[in-house]
Amino acid sequence: MFYKLELRDYLLVKPVYLGPGYRAYCEEHLRQKVEGTCLDPYGIVVAVVGVKAADIGKLQEGTGLVMVPMVYEAIILHIFKGEVLDCVIDGIDEKGVFGYIGPVRVFVSRTMLPGGWTYTEDDVHAGSGAAYRSSAADRTIRVGSALRVQVLATRQENNSILAIAQALSEGSFDART
């Protein structure tokens, strides 16, 4: 789920940037610093959409840098347990299916696929790679397929979120072959 939040952060600015263009430099430096990062209680910062007036900077003793408090609005992606999402598959092996939802990595174990799906490498020599096939062989999950999943758990690591999910019933698959 996406949210628009007002957040605060501090920038350390070298004195050389305190002249003309100071405000534009601070905004660009803030975007480079926070976009794509994972903020612990919130989620992943997708984009900074606005920078509000910040307080004047203060000289940091001993370093010569100016510490500038910034207030900004950002679009945050936060994945909740139980949330139903569509992911795009980008990896398949015997253990399960790997995909992504924007910047979030998703893993669906083969035991979390609906009954009747089997792992196959029949088409490896034809160039299509490993896949999971339904028992009726009318549907295939392969790299590039879309899959509807329900999130069971999430974990934040460094600047990414990992999600463990289960695939929903067979009717919810949108397997593009």
Side-chain angles (χ1 to χ4, degrees):
M1 179 133 346
F2 291 95
Y3 294 97
K4 183 178 176 184
L5 294 177
E6 182 175 289
L7 302 169
R8 298 174 187 276
D9 201 355
Y10 287 93
L11 295 180
L12 295 175
V13 179
K14 294 180 181 178
V16 71
Y17 298 111
L18 298 178
Y22 164 73
R23 178 112 173 122
Y25 172 79
C26 286
E27 288 180 15
E28 182 60 31
H29 186 55
L30 177 71
R31 281 186 170 81
Q32 289 176 2
K33 180 182 177 186
V34 300
E35 285 182 354
T37 61
C38 191
L39 300 177
D40 191 25
Y42 305 114
I44 295 178
V45 178
V46 177
V48 173
V49 293
V51 179
K52 294 186 177 181
D55 195 12
I56 58 173
K58 296 184 179 179
L59 187 61
Q60 189 178 39
E61 294 180 20
T63 65
L65 299 175
V66 177
M67 189 164 48
V68 181
M70 302 292 287
V71 177
Y72 62 98
E73 291 182 335
I75 302 296
I76 305 290
L77 173 63
H78 186 83
I79 305 295
F80 292 100
K81 181 179 175 183
E83 190 171 0
V84 176
L85 302 164
D86 293 329
C87 71
V88 178
I89 306 303
D90 69 345
I92 295 176
D93 65 12
E94 296 94 8
K95 296 176 185 172
V97 176
F98 299 89
Y100 58 91
I101 303 166
V104 178
R105 290 284 294 158
V106 178
F107 175 68
V108 180
S109 170
R110 65 183 164 97
T111 60
M112 292 297 178
L113 291 172
W117 288 85
T118 57
Y119 176 77
T120 180
E121 291 185 353
D122 293 342
D123 297 334
V124 170
H125 300 296
S128 59
Y132 277 91
R133 292 202 178 184
S134 66
S135 56
D138 61 340
R139 291 188 164 175
T140 305
I141 301 173
R142 61 173 49 125
V143 173
S145 297
L147 181 63
R148 182 155 295 155
V149 298
Q150 182 177 20
V151 177
L152 300 174
T154 61
R155 183 178 71 202
Q156 293 183 359
E157 282 187 357
N158 299 332
N159 283 333
S160 65
I161 295 178
L162 305 172
I164 305 297
Q166 69 179 358
L168 296 181
S169 66
E170 289 190 39
S172 65
F173 284 91
D174 179 23
R176 298 181 190 129
T177 56

